[in-house]
């Protein structure tokens, strides 16, 4: 019997279905790190700010503790009301991706402005001075921008992560479950 060695494989190759499974990349490993990283950074920034805000207001801005607590609660309340705007924009106009992208940029801009208000000379009051109108306006304006930014992220990022997986594909279905485990880990580690 005459045969060519190149025509005879040493091991049987994968069939078409197995080949597709080998070629399919894990969405959990390729797409989701960006979503999880965004959520981790947002939670880290939010809780880092909210935790230290009373101390900043009382020691740097010269506000009494009761007023500082009220201002922190107003900021946090605003952060939990603005998701209504973010959800509306995502569902009715922009879609989740664009909403997350735009509001993450807004959030970053607010954090940069807030950092500049505490870093640049003249944007914080002196040790025995009351804050000026400009100093208060920049501080609370930055906080308003942050609250707006978080409003676009909170209602959309978990649903956007879930949108990456196809429920009909068994691998995607398993990875979707694992995604939410990683998602809530990112939230809690960011706290």
């Amino acid at each position: 019997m005459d045969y060519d060695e190149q025509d005879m494989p040493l091991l049987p190759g994968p069939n078409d279905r197995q080949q597709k499974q080998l070629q399919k990349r894990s969405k959990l490993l390729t797409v989701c790190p960006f979503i999880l990283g965004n959520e981790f950074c947002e939670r880290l920034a939010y809780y880092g700010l909210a935790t230290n805000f009373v101390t900043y207001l009382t020691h740097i801005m010269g506000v009494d503790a009761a007023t500082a607590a009220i201002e922190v609660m107003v900021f946090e309340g605003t952060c939990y009301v603005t998701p209504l705007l973010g959800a509306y924009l995502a569902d009715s106009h922009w879609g989740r991706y664009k909403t997350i992208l735009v509001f993450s940029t807004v959030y970053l801009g607010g954090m940069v402005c807030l950092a500049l208000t505490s870093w640049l000379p003249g944007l914080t009051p002196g040790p025995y001075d009351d804050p000026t109108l400009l100093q208060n306006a920049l501080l609370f304006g930055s906080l308003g921008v942050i609250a707006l930014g978080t409003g676009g992220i909170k209602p959309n990022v978990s649903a956007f992560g879930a949108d990456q997986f196809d429920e009909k594909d068994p691998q995607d279905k398993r990875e979707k479950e694992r995604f939410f485990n990683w998602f809530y880990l990112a939230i809690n580690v960011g706290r």
Side-chain angles (χ1 to χ4, degrees):
M1 194 164 188
D2 221 3
Y3 65 90
D4 188 6
E5 285 185 23
Q6 292 178 352
D7 293 337
M8 187 74 139
L10 295 175
L11 297 172
N15 61 28
D16 289 338
R17 184 171 175 233
Q18 290 170 332
Q19 188 67 30
K20 283 184 182 180
Q21 288 294 332
L22 290 174
Q23 290 176 350
K24 184 177 178 193
R25 298 185 71 187
S26 169
K27 291 178 185 172
L28 186 64
L29 298 176
T30 55
V31 176
C32 291
F34 299 106
I35 298 168
L36 296 172
N38 186 332
E39 183 63 18
F40 171 75
C41 291
E42 192 271 334
R43 294 286 84 200
L44 186 65
Y46 174 80
Y47 284 109
L49 173 65
T51 303
N52 297 308
F53 192 36
V54 171
T55 304
Y56 181 79
L57 288 173
T58 56
H59 289 89
I60 304 299
M61 297 302 283
V63 176
D64 64 276
T67 304
I70 290 169
E71 290 173 350
V72 170
M73 290 299 118
V74 168
F75 167 69
E76 290 179 354
T78 306
C79 287
Y80 284 101
V81 169
T82 56
L84 295 172
L85 174 65
Y88 170 74
L89 288 173
D91 289 344
S92 300
H93 298 290
W94 292 348
R96 287 188 187 107
Y97 178 78
K98 185 175 180 181
T99 304
I100 292 169
L101 182 65
V102 168
F103 281 89
S104 292
T105 305
V106 168
Y107 197 115
L108 178 63
M111 290 300 288
V112 168
C113 289
L114 184 65
L116 290 175
T117 64
S118 66
W119 181 64
L120 291 175
L123 296 183
T124 55
Y128 303 105
D129 298 334
D130 288 333
T132 65
L133 183 62
L134 175 66
Q135 292 166 340
N136 276 329
L138 290 174
L139 173 67
F140 292 109
S142 298
L143 292 172
V145 171
I146 291 169
L148 183 64
T150 196
I153 297 171
K154 276 185 199 297
N156 295 308
V157 74
S158 63
F160 182 67
D163 288 346
Q164 306 307 307
F165 301 98
D166 180 13
E167 281 288 320
K168 296 173 186 161
D169 183 6
Q171 179 183 348
D172 276 4
K173 191 172 183 175
R174 284 189 308 273
E175 287 185 351
K176 184 177 183 178
E177 293 170 5
R178 294 199 330 243
F179 165 75
F180 281 105
N181 290 336
W182 285 105
F183 181 77
Y184 287 106
L185 178 69
I187 288 174
N188 290 315
V189 170
R191 274 184 134 189

